[in-house]
Amino acid sequence: MLILGCDTSSIASGALVRVPVVDGAPDAGHLEVLGSFRTQDTRSHAEAMAPGVRDLLETAGIRGQDLDLILTGVGPGPFTGLRAGIMTARAMGWAWKVPVRGVVSLDAVAEGSFHDAASAGHTVFGVATDARRREVYSAVYRLADDATGATGYTRAHGPVVGPAGDLEPQIPMAGRGAELYADVLTPVAGHDQDEPLAELLVASALRTGLDATLESTSPLYLRESDARVPADRKKATR
């Protein structure tokens, strides 16, 4: 099974992942990342996504039509960047006749940090990413043993947006928000600079189960845009 992952909720990233299928179901424990890319900034999403995906497919010798699924991060994230990734995924899905589904972007950060949160003895941890305006996008996750005995996690609350100071200080947080607001947040050790990465987005969707993955690709903005339609000018009176 070939899955393309895309996320532009913060930086822009993409990944091409092969997942073996066992007894008709994808084997999430043995996914293979065939290639990935990521940007270093948060302002070049539209310029990076399409060329990045093209290079991934060409390097792997795979056509877009060969994909089985496209997963796109639906945020939360800033308006312009988030739209760029979602629209790119939708356009590719339409052109290649490949289904597209959405994944909460914060889950990718949780996927990359939950093992260390569990190793540190935490039963609950959170994810906080930069929402600008001195706020963070956040969610809280609960750690638990799954049916195989391996540690997993579920999203217990969120995503939400608000000041970092409104979060529970005793809950360790992964993600860039933990670095930006280190004065009020406790980081998951080694994960205070984590960003949502496409390969982890795919892994988180597989962990949850593709049947439970969002069919909607509607973006999670969580707050209104700064852009406003100009009001009609008042007519001058004589």
Side-chain angles (χ1 to χ4, degrees), residues 40 126 173 191 199 201 227:
Q40 297 299 316
M173 307 297 289
H191 294 279
E199 56 267 38
L201 190 85

Side-chain angles (χ1 to χ4, degrees), residues 171-192:
I171 297 178
M173 307 297 289
R176 280 274 294 153
E179 179 188 48
L180 292 171
Y181 302 102
D183 55 330
V184 293
L185 297 179
T186 301
V188 175
H191 294 279
D192 59 350

Side-chain angles (χ1 to χ4, degrees), residues 198-221:
E199 56 267 38
L200 295 175
L201 190 85
V202 174
S204 69
L206 289 168
R207 183 179 300 279
T208 303
L210 293 181
D211 288 343
T213 301
L214 299 174
E215 293 188 11
S216 171
T217 57
S218 297
L220 297 175
Y221 293 132

Side-chain angles (χ1 to χ4, degrees), residues 14-106:
L16 181 61
V17 177
R18 177 184 286 130
V19 186
V21 176
V22 180
D23 295 329
D27 183 0
H30 295 87
L31 61 83
E32 177 188 3
V33 178
L34 301 179
S36 64
F37 69 89
R38 69 187 71 172
T39 61
Q40 297 299 316
D41 63 80
T42 60
R43 300 183 184 277
S44 59
H45 307 92
E47 297 85 353
M49 284 307 300
V53 169
R54 178 198 61 207
D55 292 345
L56 279 182
L57 296 177
E58 288 181 354
T59 300
I62 291 171
R63 303 178 308 157
Q65 296 90 332
D66 296 330
L67 295 172
D68 296 292
L69 180 65
I70 297 173
L71 296 176
T72 181
V74 295
F79 287 75
T80 303
L82 194 55
R83 279 199 302 266
I86 292 173
M87 293 309 298
T88 299
R90 288 176 179 174
M92 292 186 298
W94 177 83
W96 297 331
K97 296 180 173 56
V98 176
V100 182
R101 289 190 175 189
V103 183
V104 174
S105 300
L106 300 181

